[in-house]
């Protein structure tokens, strides 16, 4: 009953709708592509912090997970800002200072030979009566 010159987008009489099958495959591919694009965009701050070896990498990763599960975009923006900002490393110099002070404290003079002198210092040998002189202020 159908005319023989139907357009290609209409289903033939055998029941196979080619356009619907092609559009279904296109829809599934588009959903997978958009999902992959979303995941790449969502993990952008974490990848940026990881590539540049930032100290705050763990904080950026946690903010990304929080934004994923709560759907609050402010956490993602905060993670992106933390990934872009280079926070100065205060820990390494302070750790170096602490290690140096510990080495200095461990190597006090007189500990190596085990004898620590107590009492007054001896008078110099070249001036024996220098200790006996009284100083006067005039």
């Amino acid at each position: 009953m159908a005319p023989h010159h139907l357009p290609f987008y209409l289903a033939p009489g055998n029941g196979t709708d080619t356009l619907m099958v092609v559009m279904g495959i296109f829809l599934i591919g588009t959903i997978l592509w958009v999902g992959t694009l979303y995941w790449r965009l969502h993990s952008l701050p974490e990848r940026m912090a990881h590539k540049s070896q930032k100290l705050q990498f763990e904080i950026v990763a946690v903010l990304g997970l929080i934004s994923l599960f709560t759907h609050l975009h402010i956490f993602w923006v905060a993670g992106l800002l933390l990934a872009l900002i280079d926070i100065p490393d205060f820990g390494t110099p302070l750790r170096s200072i602490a290690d140096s002070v510990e080495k200095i404290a461990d190597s006090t003079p007189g500990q190596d030979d085990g004898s620590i002198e107590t009492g007054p210092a001896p008078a110099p040998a070249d001036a024996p009566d220098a200790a006996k002189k009284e100083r006067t202020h005039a």
Side-chain angles (χ1 to χ4, degrees):
M1 291 218 186
H4 297 289
H5 59 281
L6 289 174
F8 74 94
Y9 53 85
L10 290 178
N14 66 0
T16 304
D17 191 358
T18 310
L19 184 62
M20 186 180 78
V21 171
V22 170
M23 293 313 305
I25 292 171
F26 176 76
L27 180 66
I28 290 172
T30 303
I31 288 173
L32 288 175
W33 179 73
V34 168
T36 304
L37 181 69
Y38 172 75
W39 287 112
R40 297 271 304 169
L41 181 66
H42 183 75
S43 66
L44 179 69
E46 188 175 349
R47 286 185 286 124
M48 287 173 58
H50 185 68
K51 282 181 186 176
S52 61
Q53 301 295 324
K54 302 272 183 169
L55 293 174
Q56 64 269 25
F57 171 70
E58 291 86 9
I59 298 171
V60 171
V62 168
L63 285 172
L65 285 174
I66 290 172
S67 71
L68 177 67
F69 291 121
T70 61
H71 301 290
L72 295 175
H73 302 297
I74 191 68
F75 291 116
W76 186 84
V77 172
L80 183 65
L81 289 176
L82 271 177
L84 290 173
I85 295 172
D86 191 19
I87 295 177
D89 181 20
F90 293 115
T92 303
L94 290 176
R95 192 173 306 115
S96 174
I97 292 170
D99 290 343
S100 298
V101 168
E102 185 177 341
K103 285 179 186 176
I104 291 171
D106 287 343
S107 64
T108 56
Q111 251 187 0
D112 295 336
D113 57 348
S115 63
I116 298 176
E117 295 182 18
T118 58
D126 58 342
D129 32 284
K132 294 180 183 177
K133 273 189 176 180
E134 287 187 30
R135 297 184 185 215
T136 59
H137 300 289

